[in-house]
């Protein structure tokens, strides 16, 4: 049975993968290293080092808070110093903190959703550019979401709509510099329990009910009536990052069982 791996696909390439400690980011970073890339696993969770250890000698680790520009810039500098440059950036940090009707969001909660799911991508896209310019080109893959259309996540939806706009505008701006900018828009994805929950305060009974509404809506919106797997999300990201996608830029690829978001 095929493992879906492509031996040597990223040989000679340096990749920075953000949000690499858990979920989709973890799978992408490990696979990229298995496929020959030199990979910097970036996350603010200390246990990212345990994850990177699974990838062997091709991996390095950097702890950073990418909700700050300083964290993003420091991560890119470290990758360039460690590996001699950067070829590919995969922006995976983000995720809805709370699920609730928009009228129930408090102002600080709206701000937190934007900081979590928009600013790391915005900052990292900017911070990596000098390194891609020095390389003479490269690729940025943003992980967006099909939740730009969905219930109980309006601030998160707005943030991911911003990621789509970054992808398309930056692709147009940078095409002449041999830099591709692309994105996937994952739908609902089955994943192991998070070691660090997105909502550290925990969910109230009402929020658990609203989350159940979201799960139902996501499955009903999908033609395939199910959540995807981590591997089903990692594979398209790695395809877009690779030379196989050399004529694709400015595109946001829905990976949501038919739901276009």
């Amino acid at each position: 049975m095929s493992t879906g791996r492509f031996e040597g696909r990223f040989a000679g390439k340096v990749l920075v993968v953000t949000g690499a400690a858990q979920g989709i980011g973890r799978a992408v970073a490990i696979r990229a290293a298995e496929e020959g890339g030199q990979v910097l696993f970036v996350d603010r969770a200390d246990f990212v080092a345990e994850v990177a250890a699974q990838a062997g000698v091709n991996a390095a680790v950097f702890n950073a808070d990418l909700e700050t520009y300083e964290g993003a810039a420091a991560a890119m500098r470290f990758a360039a110093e460690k590996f001699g440059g950067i070829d590919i950036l995969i922006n995976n940090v983000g995720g809805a903190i709370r699920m609730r009707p928009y009228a129930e969001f408090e102002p600080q909660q709206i701000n937190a959703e934007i900081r979590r799911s928009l600013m790391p991508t915005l900052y990292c896209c900017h911070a990596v550019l000098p390194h891609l310019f020095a390389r003479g080109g490269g690729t940025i893959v943003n992980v967006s979401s099909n939740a730009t259309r969905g219930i109980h996540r309006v601030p998160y939806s707005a943030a991911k709509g911003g990621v789509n706009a970054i992808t398309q505008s930056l692709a147009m701006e940078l095409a002449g510099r041999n830099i591709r900018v692309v994105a996937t828009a994952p739908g609902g994805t089955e994943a192991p329990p998070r070691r660090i929950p997105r909502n550290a305060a925990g969910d109230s009974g009402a929020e658990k009910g609203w989350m159940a509404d979201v799960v139902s809506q996501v499955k009903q919106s999908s033609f395939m009536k199910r959540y995807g797997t981590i591997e089903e999300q990692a594979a398209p990201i790695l395809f877009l990052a690779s030379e196989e996608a050399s004529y694709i830029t400015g595109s946001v690829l829905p990976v949501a069982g038919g739901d276009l978001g």
Side-chain angles (χ1 to χ4, degrees), residues 50-236:
E50 302 170 22
V51 177
Q54 301 176 43
V57 296
N58 286 348
V61 173
F62 192 80
N63 290 113
D65 181 358
L66 300 179
E67 292 180 23
T68 70
Y69 187 82
E70 293 75 15
M76 302 310 150
R77 284 195 303 269
F78 182 87
E81 291 167 3
K82 173 72 175 178
F83 295 121
I86 300 171
D87 299 294
I88 299 164
L89 167 64
I90 298 175
N91 284 312
N92 177 69
V93 171
I97 302 170
R98 291 176 173 84
M99 306 287 185
R100 52 174 55 190
Y102 192 42
E104 301 293 333
F105 272 91
E106 299 170 11
Q108 66 270 26
Q109 293 170 346
I110 296 171
N111 291 339
E113 298 284 355
I114 298 300
R115 284 198 311 273
R116 173 72 58 83
S117 292
L118 175 62
M119 302 315 295
T121 296
L122 193 62
Y123 289 151
C124 286
C125 280
H126 185 273
V128 79
L129 291 182
H131 305 289
L132 298 184
F133 293 161
R135 210 70 153 175
T139 302
I140 298 171
V141 183
N142 297 324
V143 180
S144 182
S145 174
N146 79 321
T148 49
R149 184 189 69 178
I151 63 171
H152 300 345
R153 293 171 287 175
V154 167
Y156 173 71
S157 298
K160 289 303 190 178
V163 170
N164 293 348
I166 293 166
T167 301
Q168 293 162 342
S169 294
L170 197 56
M172 181 177 286
E173 186 173 312
L174 296 177
R177 301 200 68 157
N178 194 35
I179 295 172
R180 295 188 303 111
V181 187
V182 289
T184 67
T189 304
E190 299 285 358
R194 294 178 62 85
R195 291 176 65 174
I196 298 178
R198 288 194 172 116
N199 181 3
D203 294 326
S204 67
E207 284 175 318
K208 290 176 182 177
W210 292 326
M211 169 67 86
D213 292 342
V214 170
V215 172
S216 178
Q217 178 257 295
V218 168
K219 288 183 177 179
Q220 288 305 309
S221 295
S222 166
F223 295 175
M224 300 175 80
K225 306 303 180 191
R226 67 171 176 87
Y227 270 31
T229 68
I230 292 285
E231 284 297 316
E232 286 174 324
Q233 298 298 343

